[in-house]
Amino acid sequence: MVRPLGMGKSSCRFSALIFAAVAPLLPAAGRAPQPPQSPGFSNIDAIMNRAVAEGNIPGGVVLVGHNGSVVYHKAFGMRSLEPTREPMTTDTIFDLASLTKCIATTTAMMQLFEDGRVRLNDPVSKYLKEFAQNGKQDITIRELMTHYSGLPPDLDLSAPWQGRDAAYRIVMAEKLQNPPGSRFVYSDINFETLGFLIEQVTGESLDSYTARHIFGPMGMKDTRFLPPKEWIPRIAPTQYDEHEVMLRGVVHDPTARRMGGVAGHAGLFSTAGDLSKFAQSLLSGSPVLSPLAIEKMSTPQQPPNASSQRGLGWDIDSPFSTNRGELLPVGSFGHTGFTGTSLWIDPVTDTYIIILTNAVHPRGHGSAIALRSEIATAVASAFHLTVSEKDKLRLARITGYNESMMAARRIVARNGEVKNGIDVLESHDFRELQPDAAHPRKIGLVANQTAIDRQGRRTADVLAHVPGLQLAAIFSPEHGFEGKLDTTAIGNSRDPATGAPVYSVYGATDAQRRPPADALASLDAIVYDIQDVGVRYYTYETTLGYFLEAAAKAGKEIVVLDRPDPLGGAYVQGPVADAGRESFVSYWQTPVRHGMSIGELARLFNGERKIGAKLTVVPMQGWVRGDWFDSTGETWTNPSPNMRDINEAALYPGIGMIEATNVSVGRGTDTPFELVGAPWIDPAALAGYLNAREIDGVRFVPVHFTPSSSIDANQLCGGVNLVLTDRNALDAPELGIEIASALLKLYPSQYRIPGLDTLMVNKASFDALAAGEDPRRIAEDWQDEDAKFEALRAPYLLY
C-alpha cells in the first residue's frame, strides 16, 4: 500500500497581495516535503502554473504513482479565491463530483457481485420493483453501469422537489429516452438508481455502507459523504449556489444536493492522498475487491460493437476519456468529475494520475478538460513508458484490438492483396503435399466452385497437373461441385475436365454427408479448399469436421488450404451452441459468428474435439483479422446460390438464423437475406417498430416482394428491406433475435417461433425470447460465453 505524502497544513501565510502575484508561478508554500522529482516532471509544473495563471483553475493538486510508489505530489495556486483567499495544500479535500460513481458506487456494486447478492445481467426491477414503470423493466444492471440504459442524462430540476425519497420516486417513474442497450448516453440517473439498489440490497444507507466496507478497510480517513464541520477549513470551495452562498463542504451537484448530499452519482469528498491508496490497490491488490472483480470492472462491458468502450462504472475509450492523454494506451481506465477532478489508472505501465482541482470556483467559468490531457501526456512522456509484448496481448484482450496491430479493429477497409492457401501452396511448389514423380501421391480434393486461385484456375485443375500428384477423387459439399444445386438429391458424378470421380458428401441423411470410407482408402492425402462465410450453421464447416474425423480414422493426412473469413476475424458474436446438440448445422460449441478462418477452425476442431488428425494448414499471406472480404483484393465467388455479395454475408448471421421460422428471408428474390417478410406482415408496422429499436448498423424500409421459391413462394409478402448502414457496428445475431422478437410482439398468433432454435442452438436464449425478454438483455447474456470462446480459440489463431 502506498502511503500518502505531505498531509500537513501550511503553517505560514503570505499577504493576499503578495501571494496573488507569485502563486501562479510557484508551488504552494508550507506543505510537507515533496517526493524526489524526475527532471521530466517540470512539464507538469509548467502546465499547472499556466492553468492557474490563465484563470482556468484557481489551483489544484497533482499526484502521480508509478511502479508501486508515489513519485510526484504537489499543490499549486489557491484553494479559495472567494470569499477568502487561501493557498492550496496537498492535503486539501475536494468535492469529487462524478468520481463518486467509480470510487463509491462501482466498488460497492462489485462487492455485491462478488458476494452473489446481485448479477450483472439481472434486470434492475428484480431488486427495485417500482423501476419497471414506463418500459424500464428490461434495463439491466450492466446497462446502468456502462451508461447504455436508455435513460436521460439527469433528473428534471425545473420542478421543486427535495429529499432522497422524492428523488427515488422520480427515478422510478422516469421514462426512457432510447431503447435500452442502443446508445451510449452518460446519465447520472444510472448511478442514482445504483445507489438506491445498493441501499435496498444491503439494508444500509450508501454513505454508511461505503464507510464501513470500503473507506474504513482501505484506511481512507479523509474520504466520505457529508464531511463534518471540522473538515471545512481543508475543503476546496466550489461555486456560489442559487442563493449566492459559496458551497464548501456541501456537494456541488444540484441533484445530489437536493437528495441530501448522498447519491450514487455524486457527493463524495476526498484527498489526493486517499485516492492514491485506492488507485494503488487496484494495481497491486485491494483489501475490498478481488483481482477478478477489478479486472471485470476495468475491461469493456458495453454492448458488443458499441463505439464507446466502458467498463463497469469506469471509462476506457469514449468521448469522456480525454484525461487518458495522447500516450497512455487504450486499455487503461479512469473517470472525471465536473468540479475539475480526474483519476486515470494504467495497469500496463503500472501508473496512475490524480488531478484534483476546483475548476468551477468561484462562479463556474473554469475548466480542467485540456489540463487533464496535457498532464497525462506529460507523465507518460516523463517516464518514457513502454508496452511489453505480454501487455500488448493484454491490450488486445481487453480492448478487442491491439494498438500494434491496428488492422484488427480500426481499419474499416483497405486495398489488400491476400494470397489464399492455394496460392501459397503453388508458390511453395506444392511441398506440403510431398509430390513424388516416381510414385505419384493420390490426392482427394474437398472443393466446390470457390476453390480457385488468383489466376482464376480451379484448384482441381491445378492439382491435376502437378508432377508427382494424382487427383484421384473430388468430394463436393452442399450445393454440389459447381455450387448451383439447392437440393439434397445430389448424386455422384465425374469431373469432365480432370476425369476425377466426384463424390457427393451432402444429402438427407448423416451417412450421405460423410466421406465414404472406400473412397478414402486408396488416397494418400486429403486437401480441403472451400470458401466459408464465418457462420456456425453454414454447413461447409461441418463438412470440414467430418473430413477431419474420417482422415483421423483412416490414418490419412489432411491439408487445409486457408481462405479468409469474409466477415473478418475481429468480432465474435451470438450465442454459443449448446453442448450435446451437435448436428450438420452445428458441428461444435462455437458462437454464431466465430471470427475464424477455415484453417483456424480446422485447428480448433482437431484440438478441442480431440480428433487427432494429421493436419496441415497452408496459411494465407497478407490477411489481417480486421479484413472484410472486400479488403482482400479477391473476386467474390458465390459460396452458395443465395450468398451473392458481402452485404448478404454480413446480414446472414442474423437473418439466416430466423429462416427456420415461418417467414421468407428473400430466397427466390434478387436480394436473399436482405428481405424479411410474410403475407401476414404489415410492412409499415414492422419497419416502424424495428427502426424505433435503434439497432446499430441497419435501417428497415417497408416493402412488398414475391419470392419465387422457398417459404411463401409465389405469394405477395409484406416485410422489410434491410439496409446495411455500418457493418462494423452491426451485431447480426442480435439483429436476428430483434426481428424474431418484433414478429412475436406484433403477430403473436401468426408467427411460429419454435424453428428459431434449429440454427440458434441455444435453449436459454430461445426460452428467454419466447418468454418476451428484451433482445438486448438476451444478447448481454452471450458476452461472457463469447469471451470464454475468444480465450479458447486464441491458441489456434494464425493471424
Side-chain angles (χ1 to χ4, degrees), residues 356-611:
L356 299 181
T357 77
N358 52 340
V360 295
H361 182 71
R363 296 191 176 274
H365 300 311
S367 173
I369 294 175
L371 174 74
R372 295 164 179 160
S373 179
E374 290 181 51
I375 289 179
T377 300
V379 169
S381 179
F383 285 132
H384 305 292
L385 297 175
T386 60
V387 180
S388 68
E389 289 303 313
K390 176 183 176 182
D391 286 325
K392 285 178 182 178
L393 294 177
R394 181 181 190 276
L395 291 177
R397 175 170 53 82
I398 67 176
T399 65
Y401 62 87
N402 190 324
E403 286 193 327
S404 66
M405 276 179 46
M406 297 295 279
R409 273 279 177 98
R410 293 302 194 187
I411 291 179
V412 176
R414 70 185 184 105
N415 298 320
E417 188 173 335
V418 174
K419 289 184 177 181
N420 289 324
I422 179 60
D423 304 301
V424 176
L425 183 71
E426 292 170 5
S427 70
H428 289 175
D429 292 326
F430 306 93
R431 65 178 182 235
E432 288 85 354
L433 299 182
Q434 305 170 43
D436 186 340
H439 302 91
R441 303 191 75 216
K442 294 181 179 180
I443 303 297
L445 174 65
V446 189
N448 62 7
Q449 76 288 351
T450 63
I452 54 176
D453 66 10
R454 287 191 71 85
Q455 285 72 48
R457 299 175 299 184
R458 299 189 313 165
T459 301
D461 296 325
V462 172
L463 296 181
H465 292 87
V466 176
L469 297 180
Q470 178 188 343
L471 183 61
I474 296 172
F475 301 92
S476 66
E478 183 178 2
H479 306 299
F481 185 46
E482 295 182 355
K484 297 178 180 179
L485 304 175
D486 222 349
T487 175
T488 56
I490 302 176
N492 296 336
S493 60
R494 188 169 294 275
D495 177 39
T498 63
V502 179
Y503 298 94
S504 173
V505 285
Y506 181 69
T509 67
D510 183 72
Q512 291 174 316
R513 296 167 178 171
R514 293 180 181 270
D518 57 343
L520 294 182
S522 63
L523 301 178
D524 295 304
I526 302 162
V527 175
Y528 183 101
D529 188 18
I530 297 177
Q531 176 64 59
D532 187 35
V533 297
V535 178
R536 185 221 304 144
Y537 41 78
Y538 210 59
T539 62
Y540 302 158
E541 296 180 6
T542 302
T543 296
L544 170 66
Y546 287 173
F547 270 90
L548 287 167
E549 294 174 18
K553 185 176 181 179
K556 306 296 182 181
E557 299 175 28
I558 181 167
V559 177
V560 174
L561 306 182
D562 208 5
R563 291 183 178 270
D565 182 334
L567 307 182
Y571 296 103
V572 171
Q573 296 173 332
V576 172
D578 291 335
R581 296 183 62 192
E582 290 76 16
S583 71
F584 197 54
V585 291
S586 182
Y587 182 71
W588 196 63
Q589 293 98 59
T590 57
V592 170
R593 181 180 176 184
H594 46 67
M596 300 180 77
S597 71
I598 200 70
E600 292 172 334
L601 271 181
R603 287 161 51 87
L604 175 77
F605 291 164
N606 201 42
E608 294 301 317
R609 292 202 60 163
K610 313 298 183 193
I611 295 173

Side-chain angles (χ1 to χ4, degrees), residues 633-701:
E634 299 180 41
T635 301
W636 180 270
T637 299
N638 294 348
S640 57
N642 286 285
M643 194 65 63
R644 299 172 187 174
D645 60 38
I646 189 61
N647 282 351
E648 291 171 1
L651 293 165
Y652 181 66
I655 306 307
M657 192 165 64
I658 66 174
E659 71 170 316
T661 66
N662 62 323
V663 292
S664 169
V665 295
R667 290 183 184 268
T669 73
D670 292 336
T671 53
F673 307 115
E674 297 180 48
L675 295 168
V676 174
W680 36 269
I681 289 176
D682 177 347
L686 181 59
Y689 181 93
L690 289 169
N691 283 326
R693 290 288 295 169
E694 298 186 19
I695 302 167
D696 282 340
V698 67
R699 292 285 295 169
F700 304 88
V701 178

